Amino acid sequence: MQYGYFDDDAREYVITRPDTPYPWINYLGCNDFYGLFSNTSGGYCFYRDARMLRLTRYRYNNVPTDVGGRYFYLRDSKDGDVWSPSWMPMKSKLDRYECRHGMGYSRIASARNGLCFSQTSFVPLGDKCEVHKVTLTNESKAEKNIDIFSFIEFCLWNANDDMTNFQRNFSIGEVEVHGSSIYHKTEYRERRNHYAVWAVNEPVAGFDTDRQTFLGLYNGFDSPQVVFDGKSKNSVASGWAPIGSHHIKVKLKAGESKAYVFVLGFCENPEDQKWEKPAAPGSAGVINKKPANALLEKYSTAEAADKALAALNEYWKNLLSKFTVDAEDKKMARMAGIWNQYQCMVTFNMSRSASYFESGIGRGMGFRDSNQDLLGFVHLIPERARERILDIAATQFPDGSAYHQYQPLTKRGNNDIGSGFNDDPLWLIFGVASYIKETGDYSILDEKVPFDNNEAIADTLFAHLKKSFYYPVLNAGPHGLPLIGRADWNDCLNLNCFSKTPGESFQTTANYESGVAESILIAAIFAFVGPDFVEICKRTNRNEEVAAAEKAIANMIDAVNKHGWDGDWFLRAYDAHGKKIGSKECEDGKIYIESNGFSVMAGIGLEDGRAAKALDSVKEHLDSPYGIVLLQPAYKDYHIELGEVSSYPPGYKENAGIFCHNNPWVTIAETKLGRGTRAFETYTKICPAYREDDSDLRRMEPYVYAQMVAGKDAVNHGEAKNSWLTGTAAWTFVSITQYILGVRPVFDGLLIDPCIPSSMKGYSVTRHFRGADYHVKVDNSAGVEKGVKSVTLDGKPLDGNLLPVFGDGKVHQVVVVMG
Ligand code: BGC
Ligand code: NOJ
């Protein structure tokens, strides 16, 4: 069944009942201040780093699910009726409920007994705060006297420490209250120069800042004593758990409506201007509120909040106008044109740090993840892609290997995770090539970029790419295939790990480095990105590099041909004993998806039928109604020589789950063979919009991709997990837009190369590309799957299917006839 519907004109998903099978969330924020916001107003916010600078507390894996958010409680003073207008945390009965998740904002609207509530939440462009505009409307015939109680719970900044170090934390919480503003200033007296403010643009009848006083002894968020009493206690927290709650008394005539603007902000002071009045024995210091005052002044009226929201809407409208799709298949059009791009921006901003599955304390920015995420937004904000590339490259080591992750606040490599994932270097070539194909900006190659964040050993970005290119060549194993190191793209194929100790991390544990375990996937990635490296050399007059690079690519393909083919599909790897993985000879894990998709993407086996055979085998052995599983048969037992992949129960995650990230590799590979119907089928199977009415099984949001869907060996086959932060977003965007709809940026222009189901009779795409707009109309009345018969550009026939770069700020009309 469905729990809502897409409103494409508004670019919103409208949730029509609050009890979704899992909290369905949205992200607020575009630059450095972010909020996670669920359909019942759950979630939390942070400034730049979800671990180090978290403003509000959230309890992962809690019961009930999704507790912690920006809550408003309402009380009708006539009869003492108390409720949560966002449903949670009281699970209140509502006469009406709707949550609209839009681009960077969410709106919850509900009604009970004639009192209509609406909450519009967003992070305004350029400010470090969440704005929550709350409107109450009396839809009844009689006057109403309503009490609003706001509620947030402060996190003591470091989210990890906040959840673990109670012996200290219960003694350090500090707040200040001035008028309608509540300031959270824990640790401000020592090494912090920032505080949080939670304020409303209206005089308050009272406030609370101490959690226990507000809730009452042993009460939960669903039964706050103060709200039942209808009166705040004006508590000032000292230690324990500081919260922020305002009490506003509202009188509403019949039909009357009133709006309030709540702001939750992050404020910083220069080190020498921290205090209005420094602390003295017996009296706490008074913080300098200048930045808070300036922020609150900005959002002191409902009109100002509306204006900021309008600016945010305009920002998204502009961004998404860079790529639009019009097609009969509305699901595809709305995903490719709206939600997939939106998810790509979120994934770019968050990497894999903060979602309802990533706690925000665990992971930094991934080297390979960020390079792949680039693909999904480089057409939207190329300048941020440029910046990101340079940040990532600076964490590369002088030998071409790389820190697997870096920390967003410091932009430094993360020593806890270290290096040794031997696919990492190649993704840098991939990211840079994608950036250049989009922008034509070769100047990025001349940027001086440190190695290992050390300016003293900086070199050009091109030098980094060259190190990347030769890393797998110089680190090859007995079959001339790249050594896998700790793991390749599949973090769980830990062939040098041999872990016996419970709880030990498969990714960081001491590595034997056998010098034997090899990856066919890395070889295929090399064969795929290598030619781009060669093109880059040619186009920047580095011709002396070309012959050697071409030879290295040929050798690699040769090694795959000799040692990477298993008869009906590509092998996956050789383990530390030189035994095949992903072969008919194996008892479990006979066939894997990754090496098959990527080898065909790289063009290996196209000429002799092996490519088609490999993809046919993928279909035969790995396909399912919900997507293609990662491997078959699933590992039944733990294999010490394989690592984490065999640690998962069959059907989950890398052990034969549908790991959506690699499905688009097969989609793209299918387009290489011209099999448009099958390519599209692989696209739709994992695409959330196509599973909207299957939400009870799928459980995750129907507007975003999930990292994993349980595979055919799992009990709940088809159930999704880990929505939002996944490389699936970028890769599906590439597969649908560049390879199925076939509007593909290449070094010299925009290539038009559709590969679609024969039943798709046509579609239109508008694409902003290097300073001009291309309106592309594809006519497939011939009913083919691939092949361009003619292209007309601005009314004139074009030779071939490569649209040139105009860069003239104009709109160019393109008509493509397939056949
Ligand atoms: C997951 C992988 C992930 C890795 C690193 C593993 O537990 O299965 O998908 O890449 O952790 O975070
Ligand atoms: C998730 C990780 O973020 C990504 O880097 C990895 O490639 C996949 N899991 C597969 O293991």
Side-chain angles (χ1 to χ4, degrees), residues 669-727:
E670 289 287 357
T671 68
K672 288 260 170 196
L673 296 175
R675 307 201 292 202
T677 304
R678 170 67 181 155
F680 195 68
E681 181 186 62
T682 61
Y683 166 75
T684 56
K685 278 186 178 178
I686 61 159
C687 184
Y690 292 85
R691 291 202 52 206
E692 195 184 4
D693 50 15
D694 194 15
S695 288
D696 286 315
L697 172 59
R698 183 179 156 86
R699 299 193 67 190
M700 293 299 116
E701 299 91 334
Y703 41 93
V704 286
Y705 287 91
Q707 181 206 60
M708 192 224 25
V709 176
K712 38 192 179 181
D713 304 281
V715 176
N716 300 320
H717 180 32
E719 179 187 69
K721 285 190 190 123
N722 304 7
S723 55
W724 282 98
L725 306 185
T726 161

Side-chain angles (χ1 to χ4, degrees), residues 345-518:
M345 280 306 303
V346 170
T347 315
F348 159 65
N349 286 326
M350 297 290 125
S351 192
R352 305 296 175 272
S353 70
S355 74
Y356 268 29
F357 296 86
E358 301 280 6
S359 63
I361 61 176
R363 298 171 65 182
M365 318 283 292
F367 192 95
R368 79 158 83 86
D369 292 338
S370 296
N371 275 303
Q372 291 170 81
D373 291 346
L374 276 175
L375 274 155
F377 78 92
V378 61
H379 65 297
L380 298 177
I381 318 190
E383 56 285 4
R384 288 186 73 192
R386 192 180 206 277
E387 189 188 329
R388 178 64 57 86
I389 287 172
L390 299 175
D391 286 348
I392 302 169
T395 66
Q396 188 175 30
F397 290 107
D399 71 347
S401 62
Y403 276 110
H404 194 48
Q405 289 176 13
Y406 72 97
Q407 296 311 119
L409 272 186
T410 59
K411 297 190 175 175
R412 295 198 160 254
N414 182 345
N415 273 317
D416 297 345
I417 311 285
S419 162
F421 296 79
N422 285 354
D423 63 317
D424 273 337
L426 292 176
W427 295 112
L428 183 65
I429 304 180
F430 180 67
V432 173
S434 307
Y435 170 79
I436 295 177
K437 287 177 190 174
E438 180 65 41
T439 59
D441 170 20
Y442 288 91
S443 75
I444 192 173
L445 297 168
D446 303 322
E447 293 282 350
K448 277 264 162 36
V449 185
F451 281 102
D452 195 8
N453 294 110
N454 181 351
E455 291 288 349
I457 47 172
D459 204 341
T460 61
L461 181 64
F462 178 81
H464 282 257
L465 293 193
K466 189 172 167 188
K467 293 282 171 133
S468 283
F469 181 86
Y470 284 105
Y471 190 80
V473 177
L474 296 174
N475 292 276
H479 301 93
L481 294 161
L483 291 172
I484 197 166
R486 286 188 192 278
D488 59 23
W489 171 88
N490 187 335
D491 272 329
C492 299
L493 207 53
N494 316 116
L495 305 183
N496 294 303
C497 179
F498 293 88
S499 175
K500 276 197 222 153
T501 312
E504 184 170 70
S505 159
F506 288 99
Q507 270 83 46
T508 58
T509 191
N511 202 293
Y512 289 87
E513 198 39 272
S514 58
V516 173
E518 297 168 300

